[in-house]
């Protein structure tokens, strides 16, 4: 079936092609990021000059900002977008294992986004109980928040989003396990694929208990049960929800963190021109961190009524998780040594993301060390810490990946100088809005405060909020310019000639840019080498080539039946 | 020969081409994707139900009247339901067996029988609910009934979904003769059955 | 940066200092190395990459070992003070601590509600459920140089009892009673913030701690206990009744 024969709807709207679906996810995620950004700008305005928003409007915006950035930006972009666009190409497959399920996953996601946006505009307004949805606040919306319909639609939207990502996750796991091309053993997988696999498994194992918890929460709202609510006669257990939520919540951060690390792990070797110091260490530390991530959830609840003895173990495991991550960051850093670093736009972004991950990782320690966390819990220190991880994941790493794979996906170029300036400005404004948060946290500024005006001990820090807000404006403006340029470049950018502009080794660079439907035409890639064979010696070096592609394309011989068909 | 070597892929560099290969050499050696995907899906379902059951146990430890309340559940109907589910499992196994033996007529007949078991279970369960509500036991009565309705309700939905899947597969395999569709439908049924074998003692036999 | 410390109990501040200095040092060190590496191995200075790594750099693996040692020290300190604060927080342990320093022990119950705190004292006789019990809204009056044991609960949604000047924080949870203790040292007025989202008025949920001299405190106690016409036993709201039940339970077990 050629492109001309298929209708526009089938080709672009309800396509089952992994590349189209990936791009759909990417653009939808970009659109949602715009909404999330506007929300941030709005509530930061309120923090700089209190009174712009009403109290509940402030909380509503904060709630939607957090949920959107997590579930409707980071996940669809890093898993839905990058996962779909890269997995089949990097493992030498023609599509995902279940293309129809893939399409269903995307459209469920679209419906979830529509429901979410609707929930904001229904009478009573959207849900304003924070992205953590803690009951009893969320379980009795009539009593405490006064937004019954908004709460229900919000929960429905989250449920649909989970369903969509679960469909995607099942697809990713099945594809990576069963559809790898000949020669591509597990320990030859590009790190991005490993990270997508680990992330999908983590998501599947962690979101399912939360689905159970969400179901109980719905029962509390609709059937009047008392799973999480407490009245004089009925004693539910609000802490149980927190356990179910954070059993999901902590691994969930890694669900988006790992693909982000995967992006950095692809960009680094291609731009340092040398292989990783230790590829296997990177794989194993990710797996160990993934396993540990299931043992640390209650570090979000140290002062929330958990058993003080079990708190010790949660703190020990949390601090222990810094070990695999520090190893993995050191190994990545060591891979720069003796490299010949080319500061291309994606590399500048990746280095920026790497540096910010160091800050994000280190500032997790004061929160994981439970006695220090007594003071830091639920202050701006937490806000600053998770922005250093989540913003780095969802914005810095994702944009690094966009600059890197843009020529492959769209067959066009993004301007290098533009990319570098974009990176530098983003890093400056990002630190301008996020870093002061550590000082506010140290000053004991609780999070989710519409204004600090009611507390004398915080009065002197109003100027810090003003500074953070100004940085947020500038940061948002920078991204807005990028978004416009990005859309422009998709349609009007300069065409790329070379299918492998970065001289990278992994399989996707063998395909034409952009790859056709079913990716490989009448050829098929076969893997013959490890994924990052840079700085090769011997014959190639003599010819002036410093890299060895992971595989080669082999032309498929036509079978007898096909030959006859052609003749007849 | 030259014809065969022509690369029908525009825009790749010549260096990327390694040679010619027979189609047969490429067949992936791994498990069929449908099987892997479905096991992953079942794993997710199992964790959802395990979390609910774990939550119930957590509440039960602190609720002193759990045992007393549980004596009000209807053991007769639930025992019959257990047999219905087990019968369904047997017919599902037979359907799977005949599908892999390429006896499609028989396989489809057993699929239909399994589906009928599912519908019978759901019907009985609905009747049981009506009796309980008639006696004044509501989901918000106490922690026992809260979990009873939630967990058996979710399970009932799964049985109903299983019946729908079986019907869908019954239609689907008529033309496609897809063994894996039958295998996955049977697998789903076994999962639903197994969950019931946890729920049954938990709410009826304590 | 931290607000004025109003207690001479060093535990939480010490934990914070250790971890912050640790991460600042490791962080600055990492950034210097990263910057050097990026400069030294840029394509301009090092046009041809090589697969080997000079031994000097391989020693950076020690950075991981440094992190590990730091982790262990950090945990040891944290566990020590955590046990102090949240494991040995029963009446007997607190009294023991107070006796060693010749300090008084004050028992208080704190109930969070949208959007204010209610504090209950056993009154001058030190017994709960008697006529001289004291109930106060939003201001916690305490003597200086005393150990304060606060039992926290809530009667609508979650709140969090946060005393920035005493570095203490704990959630107020409906249906559950939690205990924190802290030591008062300096006289003065301090603030109580709510640190768990509890609704639209969360950021306005301000309470006060007033630490009086021993003499003034006794005067205050006498003065209010007579006027305290409201007793929590007569309140019908759930938080108190839960508190009441827990109270009875603990009496039964004793
Ligand atoms: Cu966490
Ligand atoms: Cu609050």
């Amino acid at each position: 079936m050629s492109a001309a024969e298929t209708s526009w709807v089938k080709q672009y709207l309800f396509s089952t092609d992994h590349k189209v679906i990936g791009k759909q996810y990417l653009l939808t995620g970009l659109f949602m990021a715009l909404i999330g950004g506007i929300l941030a700008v709005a509530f930061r305005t309120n923090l700089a000059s209190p009174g712009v928003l009403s109290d509940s409007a402030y909380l509503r915006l904060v709630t939607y900002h957090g949920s959107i950035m997590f579930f409707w930006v980071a996940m669809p972009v890093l898993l839905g977008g990058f996962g779909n666009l890269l997995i089949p190409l990097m493992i030498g497959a023609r599509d995902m294992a279940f293309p129809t399920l893939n399409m269903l996953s995307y459209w469920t996601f679209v419906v979830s986004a529509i429901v979410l946006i609707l929930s904001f505009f229904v009478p009573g307004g959207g849900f304003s109980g924070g992205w953590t949805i803690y009951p009893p606040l969320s379980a009795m919306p009539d009593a405490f928040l006064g937004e019954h319909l908004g709460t229900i639609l919000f929960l429905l939207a989250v449920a649909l989003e989970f369903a969509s990502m679960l469909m995607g996750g099942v697809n990713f796991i099945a594809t990576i396990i069963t559809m790898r091309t000949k020669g591509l053993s597990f320990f030859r997988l590009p790190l991005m694929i490993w990270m997508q696999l680990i992330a999908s498994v983590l998501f599947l194992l962690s979101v399912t208990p939360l689905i159970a918890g969400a179901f109980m929460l719905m029962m509390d709202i609709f059937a009047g049960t008392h799973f999480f609510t407490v009245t004089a006669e009925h004693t539910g257990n609000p802490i149980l929800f927190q356990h179910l939520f954070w059993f999901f919540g902590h691994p969930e951060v890694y669900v988006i963190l790992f693909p982000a690390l995967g992006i950095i792990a692809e960009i680094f070797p291609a731009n340092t021109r040398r292989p990783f110091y230790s590829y296997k260490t990177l794989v194993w530390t990710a797996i160990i961190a993934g396993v540990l991530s299931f043992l640390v959830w209650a570090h979000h609840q140290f002062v929330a009524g958990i058993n003080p003895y079990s708190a010790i173990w949660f703190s020990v495991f949390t601090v222990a998780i810094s070990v695999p991550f520090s190893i993995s960051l050191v190994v990545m850093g060591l891979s720069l040594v003796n490299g010949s670093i080319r500061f291309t736009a994606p590399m500048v972004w990746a280095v920026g993301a790497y540096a910010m991950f160091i800050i994000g990782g280190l500032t997790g320690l004061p929160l994981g060390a439970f006695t220090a966390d007594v003071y830091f819990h639920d202050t701006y220190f937490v806000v600053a810490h998770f922005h250093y991880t989540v913003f780095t994941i969802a914005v810095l790493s994702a944009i690094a990946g966009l600059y890197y794979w843009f020529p492959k996906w769209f067959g066009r170029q993004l301007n290098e100088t533009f990319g570098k300036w974009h990176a530098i400005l983003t890093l400056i404004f990002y630190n301008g809005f996020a870093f002061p948060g550590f000082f506010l946290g140290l000053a004991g500024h609780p999070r989710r405060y519409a204004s600090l005006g009611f507390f004398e001990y915080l009065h002197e820090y109003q100027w810090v909020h003003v500074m953070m807000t100004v940085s947020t404006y500038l940061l948002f403006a920078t991204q807005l310019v990028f978004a416009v340029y990005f859309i422009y470049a998709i349609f009007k950018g300069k065409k790329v000639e070379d299918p492998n502009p970065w001289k990278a080794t992994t399989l996707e660079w063998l395909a034409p840019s952009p790859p056709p439907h079913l990716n490989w035409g009448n050829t098929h890639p076969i893997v013959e080498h490890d994924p990052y064979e840079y700085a090769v010696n011997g014959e190639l070096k003599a010819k002036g080539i410093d890299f060895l592609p992971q595989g080669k394309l082999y032309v498929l011989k036509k079978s007898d039946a096909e030959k006859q068909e052609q003749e007849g | 020969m030259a014809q065969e070597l022509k690369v029908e892929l525009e825009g790749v560099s010549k260096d990327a081409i390694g040679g010619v290969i027979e189609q047969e050499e490429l067949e992936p050696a791994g498990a069929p994707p449908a099987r892997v995907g479905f096991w992953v899906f079942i794993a997710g379902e199992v964790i959802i139900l395990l979390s609910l059951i774990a939550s119930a146990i957590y509440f039960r430890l602190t609720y002193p009247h759990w045992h007393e309340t549980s004596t009000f559940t209807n053991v007769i109907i639930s025992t019959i339901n257990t047999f219905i589910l087990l019968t369904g499992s047997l017919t599902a196994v037979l359907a799977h067996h005949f599908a892999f033996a390429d006896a499609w007529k028989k396989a489809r007949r057993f699929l239909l029988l399994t589906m009928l078991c599912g519908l019978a279970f759901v019907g009985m369960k609905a009747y049981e609910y009506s009796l309980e509500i008639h006696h004044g036991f509501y989901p918000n009565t106490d922690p026992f009934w809260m979990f009873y309705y939630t967990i058996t309700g979710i399970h009932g939905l799964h049985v109903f979904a299983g019946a729908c899947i079986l019907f869908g597969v019954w239609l689907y395999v008529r033309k496609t003769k897809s063994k894996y569709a039958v295998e996955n439908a049977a697998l789903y049924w076994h999962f639903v059955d197994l969950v019931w074998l946890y729920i049954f003692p938990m709410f009826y036999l304590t | 940066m931290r607000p004025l410390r109003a207690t001479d109990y060093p535990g939480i501040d010490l934990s914070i200092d250790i971890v912050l200095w640790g991460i600042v040092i490791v962080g600055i060190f990492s950034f210097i190395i990263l910057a050097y590496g990026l400069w030294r191995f840029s394509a301009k200075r090092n046009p041809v990459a090589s697969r080997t790594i000079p031994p000097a750099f391989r020693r950076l693996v020690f950075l991981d070992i440094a992190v590990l040692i730091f982790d262990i020290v950090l945990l040891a300190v944290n566990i020590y003070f955590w046990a102090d604060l949240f494991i040995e927080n029963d009446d007997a342990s607190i009294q023991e601590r107070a006796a060693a320093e010749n300090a008084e022990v004050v028992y208080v119950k704190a109930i969070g509600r949208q959007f204010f705190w209610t504090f209950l004292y056993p009154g001058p006789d030190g017994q709960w459920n008697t006529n001289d019990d004291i109930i106060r809204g939003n201001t916690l009056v305490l003597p200086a140089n005393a150990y304060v044991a606060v039992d926290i609960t809530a009667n609508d949604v979650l709140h969090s009892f946060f005393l920035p000047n005493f570095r203490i924080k704990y959630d107020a949870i409906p249906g559950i009673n939690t205990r924190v203790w802290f030591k008062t040292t300096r006289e003065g007025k301090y603030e109580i913030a709510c640190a768990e989202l509890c609704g639209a008025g969360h950021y306005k949920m301000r309470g006060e701690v007033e630490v009086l001299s021993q003499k003034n405190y006794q005067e205050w106690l006498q003065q209010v206990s007579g006027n305290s016409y409201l007793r929590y036993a007569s309140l019908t709201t759930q938080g108190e009744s839960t508190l009441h039940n827990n109270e009875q339970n603990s009496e039964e077990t004793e």
Side-chain angles (χ1 to χ4, degrees), chain A residues 98 170 178 205 208-209 215-216 219 224-227 234 237 499 510 512 522 524 526 552-557 563, chain B residues 4 6 8 10 12 15-22 26 31 33 44 47 51 55 58-59 140 146-147 150 154:
Chain A
F98 312 114
V170 168
T178 64
L205 296 180
T208 37
F215 199 84
M216 291 189 256
M219 289 287 286
T225 55
H226 294 280
F227 286 106
H234 298 283
N237 193 331
L510 295 180
N522 72 332
H524 205 94
I526 289 180
K552 283 215 155 104
L553 292 174
Y554 284 78
V555 181
L556 291 173
K557 258 192 202 160
K563 261 188 230 162
Chain B
E4 279 175 353
K6 191 166 172 268
E8 296 165 2
E10 280 169 45
V12 289
D15 303 336
I17 307 297
V20 186
I21 198 170
E22 300 272 356
L26 285 175
I47 301 171
S51 319
S55 302
Y58 186 66
F59 264 72
N140 57 3
M146 179 167 97
F147 275 104
T150 306
I154 286 190

Side-chain angles (χ1 to χ4, degrees), chain A residues 246 249-251 253-254 293 296-300 318 385:
Chain A
W246 289 115
H250 192 86
V253 177
Y254 293 4
S293 76
V296 300
W297 76 88
H299 61 209
H300 300 263
T318 303
H385 160 67

Side-chain angles (χ1 to χ4, degrees), chain C residues 147-172:
Chain C
Y147 278 83
V148 187
V150 192
D151 288 319
I152 307 168
T153 191
N155 71 356
D156 43 26
V157 295
L158 300 173
H159 303 273
S160 194
F161 184 71
F162 178 29
L163 304 176
N165 302 87
F166 298 89
R167 316 293 191 239
I168 260 301
K169 179 187 293 134
Y170 214 92
D171 277 13

Side-chain angles (χ1 to χ4, degrees), chain A residues 55 273-274 277 303 305 308-309 322 326 338-341 371-372 374-375 377-378 442 449 454-457 534, chain C residues 2-3 41 43 46-47 49-53 64 71 78 82 87 169-171 191 194-196 203-204 206:
Chain A
D55 296 349
R273 312 309 296 168
R274 51 154 292 150
Y277 173 55
V303 295
Y309 290 98
S322 71
S326 71
N338 262 356
S340 171
I341 304 168
T371 309
V374 172
Y375 184 72
H377 176 81
D378 257 344
L442 208 52
Y449 269 27
F454 280 77
F455 289 88
E456 272 161 38
Y457 77 100
Y534 294 98
Chain C
R2 272 162 275 179
F41 299 108
N46 197 34
S50 124
R51 298 171 78 101
T52 55
I53 284 187
D64 290 325
D71 283 355
N78 273 267
W82 178 267
I87 294 176
K169 179 187 293 134
Y170 214 92
D171 277 13
E191 288 172 293
C194 176
E196 182 63 67
Y203 73 106
K204 295 180 189 162
R206 177 178 180 274

